[in-house]
Amino acid sequence: MYRTIAQAQKAVYESAMDMVHSKLVASTWGNVSARVEEDNLIVVTPSGIDYKNLTPQDLPVIDMQGQHIEGKYQASSEKALHIALLKNRPDVHGVMHTHSVYASAFSVIREPIPPIIEDMIQIAGGFVPVAPYYLPGSSELAEGVVQSIQNQYGVLLANHGFVGIGRTVHEAFKVCLVVEKAAQIYSIARSIGKPHILDEHDVSIMRDAYLNQYSKLDMKGES
Ligand SMILES: [Zn+2]
Protein backbone atom coordinates (compact mmCIF):
# COMPACT_ATOMS: atom_id res chain seq x y z
CA MET A 1 0.00 0.00 0.00
CA TYR A 2 1.10 3.56 -0.67
CA ARG A 3 0.91 6.10 2.13
CA THR A 4 1.86 9.23 0.21
CA ILE A 5 1.25 10.68 -3.26
CA ALA A 6 5.01 10.49 -4.01
CA GLN A 7 5.14 6.75 -3.16
CA ALA A 8 2.11 6.04 -5.38
CA GLN A 9 3.52 8.15 -8.24
CA LYS A 10 6.82 6.22 -8.12
CA ALA A 11 5.03 2.84 -8.18
CA VAL A 12 2.64 3.84 -10.99
CA TYR A 13 5.49 5.29 -13.06
CA GLU A 14 7.70 2.18 -12.67
CA SER A 15 4.85 -0.20 -13.47
CA ALA A 16 3.72 1.86 -16.49
CA MET A 17 7.27 1.61 -17.85
CA ASP A 18 7.27 -2.15 -17.16
CA MET A 19 3.94 -2.41 -19.01
CA VAL A 20 5.32 -0.60 -22.08
CA HIS A 21 8.60 -2.55 -22.11
CA SER A 22 6.72 -5.86 -21.81
CA LYS A 23 4.74 -4.98 -24.95
CA LEU A 24 1.40 -5.42 -23.17
CA VAL A 25 0.29 -2.17 -24.85
CA ALA A 26 1.24 -0.11 -27.89
CA SER A 27 2.11 3.61 -27.80
CA THR A 28 0.09 5.47 -25.11
CA TRP A 29 -2.62 2.82 -24.76
CA GLY A 30 -3.15 1.11 -21.43
CA ASN A 31 -3.29 2.76 -18.03
CA VAL A 32 -2.18 2.22 -14.45
CA SER A 33 -3.33 3.51 -11.04
CA ALA A 34 -2.59 3.26 -7.31
CA ARG A 35 -4.50 4.20 -4.17
CA VAL A 36 -2.96 6.85 -1.90
CA GLU A 37 -3.82 5.66 1.58
CA GLU A 38 -3.44 8.90 3.60
CA ASP A 39 -5.81 11.09 1.59
CA ASN A 40 -8.08 8.55 -0.12
CA LEU A 41 -6.81 9.75 -3.50
CA ILE A 42 -5.72 7.96 -6.68
CA VAL A 43 -2.60 8.41 -8.82
CA VAL A 44 -3.33 7.41 -12.41
CA THR A 45 -1.47 7.61 -15.72
CA PRO A 46 -2.46 10.56 -17.94
CA SER A 47 -4.54 10.59 -21.09
CA GLY A 48 -2.70 10.45 -24.43
CA ILE A 49 0.83 11.27 -23.23
CA ASP A 50 3.74 9.09 -24.32
CA TYR A 51 5.08 7.39 -21.19
CA LYS A 52 8.69 8.03 -22.15
CA ASN A 53 8.07 11.80 -21.80
CA LEU A 54 6.79 11.48 -18.23
CA THR A 55 8.37 11.84 -14.81
CA PRO A 56 6.70 10.38 -11.70
CA GLN A 57 5.80 13.91 -10.46
CA ASP A 58 3.84 14.59 -13.68
CA LEU A 59 1.32 11.84 -12.93
CA PRO A 60 -2.17 13.19 -12.21
CA VAL A 61 -3.79 12.81 -8.80
CA ILE A 62 -7.59 12.55 -8.64
CA ASP A 63 -10.12 12.04 -5.86
CA MET A 64 -12.63 9.19 -5.61
CA GLN A 65 -15.15 11.26 -7.63
CA GLY A 66 -12.66 11.69 -10.48
CA GLN A 67 -11.88 15.39 -9.80
CA HIS A 68 -8.37 16.56 -10.72
CA ILE A 69 -6.36 17.37 -7.58
CA GLU A 70 -2.83 17.89 -8.87
CA GLY A 71 -0.31 16.94 -11.57
CA LYS A 72 0.62 18.44 -14.92
CA TYR A 73 -1.69 16.30 -17.09
CA GLN A 74 -5.32 15.15 -17.15
CA ALA A 75 -6.16 11.66 -15.87
CA SER A 76 -6.66 8.68 -18.18
CA SER A 77 -9.96 8.49 -20.09
CA GLU A 78 -10.47 5.14 -18.29
CA LYS A 79 -10.35 6.75 -14.83
CA ALA A 80 -13.94 5.57 -14.06
CA LEU A 81 -12.73 1.96 -14.34
CA HIS A 82 -9.84 2.56 -11.91
CA ILE A 83 -12.02 4.44 -9.41
CA ALA A 84 -14.74 1.75 -9.48
CA LEU A 85 -12.26 -1.06 -8.80
CA LEU A 86 -10.41 0.78 -6.01
CA LYS A 87 -13.73 1.80 -4.39
CA ASN A 88 -15.20 -1.70 -4.46
CA ARG A 89 -12.08 -3.69 -3.56
CA PRO A 90 -10.46 -2.42 -0.35
CA ASP A 91 -7.89 -5.26 -0.66
CA VAL A 92 -6.66 -3.75 -3.93
CA HIS A 93 -4.10 -0.91 -4.14
CA GLY A 94 -3.01 -1.17 -7.78
CA VAL A 95 -4.86 -1.47 -11.11
CA MET A 96 -3.46 -2.01 -14.61
CA HIS A 97 -5.43 -2.02 -17.87
CA THR A 98 -3.76 -3.48 -20.99
CA HIS A 99 -4.58 -4.37 -24.60
CA SER A 100 -2.29 -7.41 -24.78
CA VAL A 101 -2.81 -9.59 -27.84
CA TYR A 102 -3.80 -13.06 -26.57
CA ALA A 103 -5.95 -11.80 -23.69
CA SER A 104 -7.67 -9.44 -26.16
CA ALA A 105 -8.27 -12.38 -28.53
CA PHE A 106 -10.22 -14.18 -25.77
CA SER A 107 -12.05 -10.91 -25.05
CA VAL A 108 -13.14 -10.84 -28.71
CA ILE A 109 -14.62 -14.35 -28.57
CA ARG A 110 -15.93 -13.38 -25.09
CA GLU A 111 -14.76 -16.58 -23.49
CA PRO A 112 -13.26 -16.80 -19.95
CA ILE A 113 -9.75 -18.19 -19.43
CA PRO A 114 -9.93 -21.20 -17.11
CA PRO A 115 -7.28 -22.19 -14.52
CA ILE A 116 -4.78 -24.07 -16.65
CA ILE A 117 -1.26 -23.28 -15.51
CA GLU A 118 0.56 -22.73 -12.22
CA ASP A 119 1.71 -19.09 -12.33
CA MET A 120 -1.62 -17.64 -13.47
CA ILE A 121 -3.36 -19.59 -10.71
CA GLN A 122 -0.94 -18.43 -8.02
CA ILE A 123 -0.67 -14.79 -9.04
CA ALA A 124 -4.01 -14.08 -10.75
CA GLY A 125 -6.14 -16.50 -8.69
CA GLY A 126 -7.09 -18.82 -11.58
CA PHE A 127 -10.36 -18.22 -13.45
CA VAL A 128 -10.50 -15.02 -15.56
CA PRO A 129 -14.09 -13.91 -16.32
CA VAL A 130 -15.33 -11.62 -19.13
CA ALA A 131 -17.03 -8.27 -18.48
CA PRO A 132 -19.82 -7.27 -20.93
CA TYR A 133 -19.10 -4.89 -23.80
CA TYR A 134 -19.58 -1.15 -23.24
CA LEU A 135 -17.83 1.79 -24.87
CA PRO A 136 -14.32 2.54 -23.57
CA GLY A 137 -14.27 5.15 -20.79
CA SER A 138 -17.98 4.74 -19.96
CA SER A 139 -19.40 4.39 -16.46
CA GLU A 140 -21.30 1.29 -17.70
CA LEU A 141 -17.97 -0.37 -18.57
CA ALA A 142 -16.63 0.43 -15.09
CA GLU A 143 -19.77 -0.98 -13.44
CA GLY A 144 -19.68 -4.12 -15.61
CA VAL A 145 -16.04 -4.75 -14.70
CA VAL A 146 -16.74 -4.51 -10.96
CA GLN A 147 -19.74 -6.87 -11.29
CA SER A 148 -17.80 -9.40 -13.36
CA ILE A 149 -14.49 -9.48 -11.49
CA GLN A 150 -16.15 -10.17 -8.10
CA ASN A 151 -13.30 -11.47 -5.90
CA GLN A 152 -10.94 -12.39 -8.75
CA TYR A 153 -7.79 -10.49 -9.73
CA GLY A 154 -8.20 -10.19 -13.47
CA VAL A 155 -11.04 -9.68 -15.94
CA LEU A 156 -11.31 -9.56 -19.74
CA LEU A 157 -13.15 -6.57 -21.21
CA ALA A 158 -15.26 -7.79 -24.14
CA ASN A 159 -13.76 -6.70 -27.51
CA HIS A 160 -11.29 -4.45 -25.73
CA GLY A 161 -8.57 -5.91 -23.47
CA PHE A 162 -7.77 -6.89 -19.90
CA VAL A 163 -7.65 -5.46 -16.37
CA GLY A 164 -5.37 -6.86 -13.64
CA ILE A 165 -5.54 -5.76 -10.00
CA GLY A 166 -3.31 -6.44 -6.99
CA ARG A 167 -2.24 -5.50 -3.49
CA THR A 168 0.44 -3.37 -5.16
CA VAL A 169 0.74 -1.92 -8.67
CA HIS A 170 3.66 -4.26 -9.26
CA GLU A 171 1.41 -7.21 -8.43
CA ALA A 172 -1.27 -5.91 -10.84
CA PHE A 173 1.46 -5.84 -13.54
CA LYS A 174 2.38 -9.45 -12.75
CA VAL A 175 -1.30 -10.43 -13.07
CA CYS A 176 -1.38 -8.85 -16.55
CA LEU A 177 1.80 -10.69 -17.55
CA VAL A 178 0.79 -14.16 -16.36
CA VAL A 179 -2.75 -13.91 -17.74
CA GLU A 180 -1.37 -12.88 -21.14
CA LYS A 181 0.96 -15.90 -21.06
CA ALA A 182 -1.89 -18.21 -19.97
CA ALA A 183 -4.09 -16.89 -22.80
CA GLN A 184 -1.29 -17.65 -25.26
CA ILE A 185 -0.79 -21.16 -23.85
CA TYR A 186 -4.55 -21.84 -23.84
CA SER A 187 -4.81 -20.72 -27.45
CA ILE A 188 -1.93 -22.96 -28.56
CA ALA A 189 -3.19 -25.90 -26.46
CA ARG A 190 -6.63 -25.68 -28.07
CA SER A 191 -5.08 -25.74 -31.51
CA ILE A 192 -3.15 -28.97 -30.83
CA GLY A 193 -5.54 -30.89 -28.58
CA LYS A 194 -8.01 -30.75 -25.71
CA PRO A 195 -6.82 -28.64 -22.76
CA HIS A 196 -7.24 -30.03 -19.25
CA ILE A 197 -8.60 -27.59 -16.69
CA LEU A 198 -7.34 -27.85 -13.10
CA ASP A 199 -9.92 -28.45 -10.39
CA GLU A 200 -10.99 -26.01 -7.68
CA HIS A 201 -9.23 -27.93 -4.90
CA ASP A 202 -5.80 -27.74 -6.53
CA VAL A 203 -6.41 -24.13 -7.57
CA SER A 204 -7.15 -23.03 -4.01
CA ILE A 205 -4.07 -24.85 -2.60
CA MET A 206 -1.79 -23.12 -5.14
CA ARG A 207 -3.39 -19.72 -4.62
CA ASP A 208 -3.17 -19.98 -0.79
CA ALA A 209 0.49 -20.99 -1.01
CA TYR A 210 1.23 -17.86 -3.04
CA LEU A 211 -0.77 -15.54 -0.77
CA ASN A 212 0.82 -16.94 2.40
CA GLN A 213 4.41 -17.44 1.34
CA TYR A 214 5.85 -16.18 -1.91
CA SER A 215 3.98 -12.91 -2.02
CA LYS A 216 5.32 -11.76 1.36
CA LEU A 217 8.76 -11.45 -0.24
CA ASP A 218 7.29 -9.37 -3.06
CA MET A 219 5.43 -7.02 -0.77
CA LYS A 220 8.65 -5.91 0.94
CA GLY A 221 9.56 -2.38 0.02
CA GLU A 222 6.12 -1.74 -1.47
CA SER A 223 4.01 -2.09 1.64
ZN1 LIG B 1 -8.43 0.18 -23.18
Side-chain angles (χ1 to χ4, degrees):
M1 88 175 55
Y2 309 101
R3 279 188 300 108
T4 64
I5 288 172
Q7 285 174 346
Q9 283 175 320
K10 180 171 180 284
V12 169
Y13 177 80
E14 288 172 356
S15 296
M17 297 312 275
D18 285 343
M19 174 179 79
V20 172
H21 293 143
S22 305
K23 302 204 171 9
L24 292 172
V25 293
S27 183
T28 65
W29 298 101
N31 30 76
V32 186
S33 70
R35 184 199 305 277
V36 183
E37 209 62 30
E38 271 177 3
D39 310 304
N40 202 27
L41 297 171
I42 299 172
V43 170
V44 61
T45 45
S47 176
I49 308 287
D50 201 325
Y51 292 119
K52 69 175 184 293
N53 297 328
L54 282 177
T55 66
Q57 297 75 26
D58 291 337
L59 292 172
V61 182
I62 57 173
D63 66 16
M64 284 289 177
Q65 285 70 48
Q67 297 297 314
H68 185 86
I69 302 293
E70 65 174 75
K72 193 168 161 188
Y73 300 113
Q74 290 302 307
S76 163
S77 57
E78 287 291 6
K79 66 184 179 187
L81 180 72
H82 292 262
I83 293 169
L85 282 164
L86 291 167
K87 257 187 189 167
N88 284 278
R89 288 286 296 268
D91 58 318
V92 165
H93 297 270
V95 177
M96 182 175 283
H97 164 49
T98 67
H99 294 168
S100 59
V101 174
Y102 282 88
S104 297
F106 280 95
S107 86
V108 169
I109 60 170
R110 301 189 183 180
E111 200 179 294
I113 303 168
I116 48 164
I117 208 98
E118 186 191 2
D119 54 5
M120 69 90 81
I121 291 168
Q122 291 199 335
I123 296 164
F127 180 77
V128 179
V130 188
Y133 182 78
Y134 289 104
L135 284 172
S138 63
S139 56
E140 291 88 351
L141 175 66
E143 185 54 34
V145 163
V146 168
Q147 300 277 332
S148 305
I149 200 168
Q150 297 192 9
N151 293 318
Q152 295 297 111
Y153 287 80
V155 62
L156 298 167
L157 314 187
N159 296 75
H160 181 162
F162 177 72
V163 176
I165 57 180
R167 294 167 295 175
T168 65
V169 195
H170 182 63
E171 193 171 60
F173 167 63
K174 286 209 292 187
V175 169
C176 293
L177 270 186
V178 297
V179 168
E180 174 62 10
K181 186 171 77 81
Q184 185 172 8
I185 291 167
Y186 191 41
S187 171
I188 295 167
R190 282 168 33 147
S191 73
I192 58 175
K194 183 178 177 296
H196 293 269
I197 311 301
L198 294 174
D199 68 36
E200 253 177 60
H201 176 71
D202 289 340
V203 168
S204 73
I205 288 174
M206 278 191 266
R207 177 65 176 160
D208 288 350
Y210 168 76
L211 289 176
N212 294 326
Q213 295 169 24
Y214 298 108
S215 65
K216 287 197 177 118
L217 298 170
D218 268 12
M219 305 297 281
K220 277 184 187 166
E222 285 210 67
S223 57

